[in-house]
Amino acid sequence: MGAQRNDEVTKAEWRAKLSAARAAVTVQRRVAEAAALVRAVSAMSLPDTVCCYVPFGSEPGSIGLLDVLRDRGARVLLPAIPAEPGPLDWAEYTGTGSLRAGRLRRILEPTGPLLGPGALAAAGLVLLPAMAVDHRGVRLGRGAGFYDRSLAHAAPGADLVAVVRDAELVERLPAEDHDVLMTGALTPGRGHVRLPL
């Protein structure tokens, strides 16, 4: 991005840059990163309930990450995208057979009973998709705002962890007043990193 400082680059510019970098990631690297994220989660202490997501496209992660959470005894809640803009709904993940194509193409959602946006409050750990996260905990999403509206329902003290590639944990992103700060990042190379750094 030239000689500009990271915080002088707009969110749109960040998203374009990160999308291009993600498009260049090979399938082999995605598989290796997904396995590394599974190992990192396996080393974490888990609460009774974890909110997570099903990655799509070039997002880091895998369904294997959901399975290891369940295998370790956590109740796993996944988002269901509402018809109207607002906070995400949640339903329990009970295995790959409990997933179906969701409202937005390519995004798999749980088929179980919807528990409402307030179900997020049951989670001691929330693993969130992100384009990037900075050392202060500022998360850059895709821009739809579903997670920004949802995190108001998170329990006080819940760990909010952005799942990103190592290069997507950056020094500084542009921030807005409504941004909810992450308490950590989960990366393939560094595992669970506490934020702020």
Side-chain angles (χ1 to χ4, degrees):
M1 309 276 330
Q4 288 178 307
R5 290 190 352 230
N6 282 348
D7 58 343
E8 293 174 343
V9 179
T10 68
K11 287 186 175 185
E13 290 169 323
W14 267 108
R15 287 185 183 105
K17 174 185 171 183
L18 292 162
S19 293
R22 283 186 171 186
V25 176
T26 65
V27 172
Q28 294 84 355
R29 181 170 158 208
R30 288 180 196 169
V31 169
E33 288 174 340
L37 289 170
V38 166
R39 288 190 299 275
V41 164
S42 296
M44 292 173 68
S45 175
L46 297 178
D48 293 337
T49 300
V50 176
C51 285
C52 200
Y53 65 97
V54 181
F56 76 97
S58 60
E59 286 181 335
S62 66
I63 290 176
L65 186 67
L66 306 178
D67 291 333
V68 78
L69 291 169
R70 282 186 67 232
D71 291 347
R72 293 199 47 223
R75 177 181 183 225
V76 179
L77 301 181
L78 297 178
I81 298 171
E84 300 296 326
L88 295 163
D89 209 333
W90 299 90
E92 188 168 354
Y93 171 70
T94 58
T96 56
S98 69
L99 298 175
R100 63 165 169 75
R103 211 176 295 294
L104 299 179
R105 67 185 184 115
R106 301 183 317 168
I107 298 181
L108 295 176
E109 294 185 358
T111 57
L114 295 177
L115 305 172
L120 184 64
L125 171 63
V126 183
L127 296 171
L128 299 94
M131 296 293 295
V133 65
D134 77 12
H135 292 179
R136 300 169 298 162
V138 174
R139 172 186 166 271
L140 179 69
R142 291 185 175 272
F146 287 111
Y147 279 96
D148 290 329
R149 291 186 290 269
S150 298
L151 290 175
H153 296 279
D159 276 330
L160 306 177
V161 178
V163 181
V164 293
R165 293 190 162 84
D166 293 278
E168 296 166 350
L169 175 55
V170 300
E171 185 176 341
R172 194 169 185 89
L173 291 166
E176 297 179 28
D177 290 341
H178 67 267
D179 290 335
V180 176
L181 297 180
M182 301 293 101
T183 63
L186 184 68
T187 78
R190 296 177 66 181
H192 183 207
V193 178
R194 289 275 176 201
L195 299 175
L197 286 178

